[in-house]
Amino acid sequence: MADWQIWKKEAACVGGAWIGADSGESIEVTNPATGEVIGTIPNCGDAETIRAIDAAQAAFAGFSAMPLMERVGLLWKLHDALMDNQDALAEMLTIEMGKPLAEAMGEIAIGAQYVRWFAEEARRAKGEIVPAGVNGRRILVTKHPVGVVGMITPWNFPSSMLARKIAPALAAGCPVVAKPATATPYSGLAWAALAEDVGYPAGVVNVVTGSARKIAGAMMAAPEVRKITFTGSTEVGKELIRKSADTVKKVSMELGGNAPFIVFDDADLDRAVEGAMIAKFRNSGQTCVCANRIYVQAGIHDAFVEKLVAATQALRVGDGREAGVTQGPLIDIDAVGTVEELLDDAKGKGASVVCGGSRHSLGGTFFEPTVVTGATQNMALAKEEIFGPLAPVFKFDTEEEVISMANDTVFGLASYAYTSDLGRAFRLNEGLRFGMIGINSGLITTVEAPFGGVKESGLGKEGGSQGLEDYLETKYVCIDGI
């Protein structure tokens, strides 16, 4: 494979310069599979962030005025740079985050797809001419870049989560200031290096590492930052929404999830198990759209559990760089503790562990892929996001009952259902209060469709034509005297 160290930048990118923290302080970055320190990053704060915002604001006028096809051309080059360096970028992602290399390769690829998609969508950001109610007038509705965009991204998909934000921003003509997760900074910093290599003007792509509170605080306080896009916990998202009020920023929030995975007795059982494995155990259960609650109709419950357990036991746990590994480590020891707390609560309320249930013999932050049965709505894992390789199975009797159980959450991001009844599929679309619904599919994320939730799972959409709208403002012009 290509040398991933080429893309490991141990400096922040501000206004086209690679800098350290003003304080000289740095933060160690470790490989969660081995505990090895793989490098350091600057521990930046508000001062460095303000300079990045100033650089982005200075770049805005020129970049937003760049001819459309020049912006599109830069996005095409960025797509090609991602794919030309896919091996190295994927290996770096696996080393800092822990996911299996095959999943990391897929993450780089879908990030590149988002870049290409929004390069195409930029050419379709059309306005309109509206019929006027008064003779001699013309009413024009036009679209314009919102301005400097602040981005805060998580550790679980450190490259593709930034792709879904940076690609539409650049397509619209918006400079960005991005803050990647401290646990996985190198995949975020690589975007600044790639942008520099393909020819983006200085100040258009800025990436700052360090204190989340200070960096986010500077973004929220700056009136020049006209939009904030955040992926992370609902708790932090709510705080950012509150702070956005002071400067009336546009916000998009992709927050927590609590996805139900419903299997009806008319489902293709093997296909449902395959979908459950993808939806539950991808990235070791550390995704916002993971199957958090698996509801199985009583008539096929036992048969489904038997097949699910067999598939779960076949998973191979280990360092994501090793051939054949399908489950990497959890991101840190706190994540392990959270899974254990949820598991202990479930067992204390009557759930039975039928597979796994303990820290893995590999030690560190590895945890056994786990299946429990007898899960009920009063358990903590029915209300809280698990974010780990723990699959709780609930039993239900009727369609009406399971829709009620599925909706019994403050979250509304993703949901899944397996059935061969077309009428039921349409009823589920009406009844399930989630922003995304997968019918007979456990993997539904795609660049062509809007990704986002309802209720406390967030605001706005990423992907699809809707994903570009979040980076545009709408103006109305009335021309009289014609």
Side-chain angles (χ1 to χ4, degrees), residues 162-403:
L162 189 52
R164 296 201 314 222
K165 303 175 188 301
I166 202 170
L170 297 179
C174 300
V176 307
V177 178
K179 194 279 177 196
T182 301
T184 56
Y186 297 130
S187 291
L189 288 163
W191 280 87
L194 289 161
E196 182 179 69
D197 276 10
V198 302
Y200 276 93
V204 171
V205 178
N206 307 274
V207 180
V208 186
T209 59
S211 167
R213 183 167 294 278
K214 290 181 179 179
I215 293 171
M219 288 182 181
M220 302 313 297
E224 297 85 0
V225 176
R226 297 312 311 143
K227 174 182 166 62
I228 289 289
T229 174
F230 169 75
T231 299
S233 72
T234 296
E235 179 184 8
V236 173
K238 288 179 178 179
E239 183 63 25
L240 293 175
I241 292 170
R242 293 186 191 101
K243 290 182 176 179
S244 73
D246 291 338
T247 50
V248 195
K249 299 186 196 303
K250 196 171 187 177
V251 297
S252 57
M253 300 277 155
E254 199 256 281
L255 307 177
N258 186 4
F261 188 100
I262 306 168
V263 185
F264 290 94
D265 55 14
D266 61 350
D268 180 325
L269 200 56
D270 290 330
R271 184 169 181 172
V273 170
E274 180 184 5
M277 294 300 294
I278 295 170
K280 175 68 256 183
F281 292 110
R282 183 165 62 100
N283 203 20
S284 298
Q286 300 172 114
T287 84
C288 53
V289 294
C290 264
N292 213 64
R293 300 166 289 154
I294 301 176
Y295 295 103
V296 185
Q297 201 156 18
I300 59 166
H301 175 273
D302 294 351
F304 177 89
V305 169
E306 182 180 354
K307 288 178 177 288
L308 182 67
V309 167
T312 302
Q313 291 174 330
L315 294 171
R316 182 181 170 192
V317 179
D319 188 320
R321 291 172 291 179
E322 297 177 3
V325 166
T326 54
Q327 293 283 283
L330 298 189
I331 190 64
D332 56 32
I333 200 64
D334 289 341
V336 175
T338 298
V339 172
E340 289 179 326
E341 288 175 9
L342 292 171
L343 185 57
D344 288 344
D345 173 81
K347 289 190 294 186
K349 294 174 180 175
S352 301
V353 176
V354 292
C355 174
S358 303
R359 298 189 185 193
H360 199 275
S361 59
L362 289 172
T365 60
F366 290 98
F367 199 87
E368 294 175 344
T370 301
V371 177
V372 300
T373 57
T376 56
Q377 296 292 102
N378 69 326
M379 295 175 182
L381 51 68
K383 305 296 184 185
E384 300 174 21
E385 196 168 15
I386 297 172
F387 241 65
L390 168 59
V393 181
F394 301 67
K395 185 185 293 188
F396 75 92
D397 292 309
T398 68
E399 180 181 316
E400 294 75 18
E401 174 192 16
V402 78
I403 289 175

Side-chain angles (χ1 to χ4, degrees), residues 46-71:
D46 48 7
E48 299 89 339
T49 307
I50 291 169
R51 293 203 299 274
I53 293 168
D54 290 344
Q57 181 65 21
F60 177 50
F63 184 56
S64 61
M66 180 183 288
L68 173 62
M69 289 312 295
E70 286 188 32
R71 288 208 312 271

